[in-house]
Amino acid sequence: MLKLISKIFSKKASDKKTRKPSLQAIQPKSLDNLFEKHFNESSYFKEGTFDTVIKHLRHEIDLNKSGEKLTAEEKKSLGLNSRLSITSDLVAVLSESGLNLLNPKEALKQVYYRATFEANRIENFNKMLSAGIEQATYTSCGDERDCEWCKANNGVKFKVSEALNTEINQGCTCDWNRGFFKAEINF
């Protein structure tokens, strides 16, 4: 009887040795680090304004409401749409290319959504990896806002990894990547 019990437990120990090693988790970055990364990649802001912009991104201040609202003449002199409600605090952080946007408020929105969507994607990738899922299929939104990378990779299977997250950041030129990854589960 002891030999039988010993055999059973020794097989389980050897089974653990033959299991696949756990997949490499992607190191999550803090949301503040992602805000800073996407802020630095953007050409829409003046240098040295990150401390103010991050307060907006954290919802501590609202650059769209704080400061004096520009008059129609001031907006006209900056080449802005006079119908938009733009504040002096927002103008103070925007570079010339940020002011040249059809709606300069989009600069803030772009950094916010790029960072939060990337944080969510990394979290989802890590959940897949912890469940032993190695591949996922990319699905783009399928509308006119999809960039060429999103269109070309719609329906493509990818290996879930840090490299995939990097590829999205380098290849996707959407205002922010709105696609999602469906886990490929093989039984």
Side-chain angles (χ1 to χ4, degrees), residues 7 14 17 31 43-44 48 56-57 60 63 70 83 93 98-99 107 111 120 122 124 127 135 142 144 147-148 173 175:
K7 262 187 170 181
S14 67
K17 292 176 188 173
L31 192 53
S43 63
Y44 298 144
H56 173 87
L57 299 173
E60 294 170 7
L63 291 173
L70 300 183
R83 292 182 173 178
V93 299
L99 290 170
V111 171
N120 187 37
I122 290 170
N124 289 336
K127 285 178 183 178
Q135 287 194 327
E144 71 283 350
C147 69
E148 292 305 312
T173 58
D175 285 343

Side-chain angles (χ1 to χ4, degrees), residues 29-42 45 50 53-59 108-119:
K29 298 173 182 90
S30 74
L31 192 53
D32 282 355
N33 287 346
L34 290 171
F35 283 149
E36 185 172 13
K37 172 188 159 200
H38 290 288
F39 172 87
N40 289 330
E41 291 173 355
S42 175
F45 300 95
F50 177 70
V53 172
I54 196 167
K55 286 179 184 176
H56 173 87
L57 299 173
R58 289 179 185 156
H59 306 294
L108 295 166
K109 194 173 168 182
Q110 186 181 74
V111 171
Y112 181 81
Y113 284 123
R114 281 183 181 228
T116 55
F117 276 53
E118 182 175 357

Side-chain angles (χ1 to χ4, degrees), residues 24-176:
Q24 183 75 29
I26 300 168
Q27 292 303 312
K29 298 173 182 90
S30 74
L31 192 53
D32 282 355
N33 287 346
L34 290 171
F35 283 149
E36 185 172 13
K37 172 188 159 200
H38 290 288
F39 172 87
N40 289 330
E41 291 173 355
S42 175
S43 63
Y44 298 144
F45 300 95
K46 292 177 184 172
E47 283 189 42
T49 60
F50 177 70
D51 290 338
T52 304
V53 172
I54 196 167
K55 286 179 184 176
H56 173 87
L57 299 173
R58 289 179 185 156
H59 306 294
E60 294 170 7
I61 62 172
D62 188 345
L63 291 173
N64 295 317
K65 294 181 180 175
S66 64
E68 296 293 319
K69 287 190 177 187
L70 300 183
T71 65
E73 286 301 313
E74 290 171 319
K75 288 184 258 187
K76 197 175 197 179
S77 71
L78 291 169
L80 300 173
N81 181 343
S82 60
R83 292 182 173 178
L84 293 175
S85 175
I86 305 287
T87 66
S88 58
D89 287 357
L90 177 60
V91 170
V93 299
L94 293 174
S95 67
E96 192 170 325
S97 62
L99 290 170
N100 287 334
L101 292 170
L102 289 175
N103 184 352
K105 296 174 188 179
E106 294 294 315
L108 295 166
K109 194 173 168 182
Q110 186 181 74
V111 171
Y112 181 81
Y113 284 123
R114 281 183 181 228
T116 55
F117 276 53
E118 182 175 357
N120 187 37
R121 183 173 57 245
I122 290 170
E123 181 182 341
N124 289 336
F125 283 173
N126 281 331
K127 285 178 183 178
M128 287 181 206
L129 292 170
S130 69
I133 297 167
E134 299 177 15
Q135 287 194 327
T137 302
Y138 181 72
T139 303
S140 68
C141 285
D143 64 16
E144 71 283 350
R145 295 178 292 171
D146 282 349
C147 69
E148 292 305 312
W149 187 92
C150 288
K151 289 176 188 174
N153 289 292
N154 187 42
V156 174
K157 286 183 187 179
F158 289 94
K159 181 179 186 218
V160 178
S161 66
E162 178 72 45
L164 175 55
N165 190 54
T166 301
E167 181 178 342
I168 294 164
N169 285 330
Q170 292 173 349
C172 176
T173 58
C174 295
D175 285 343
W176 56 87

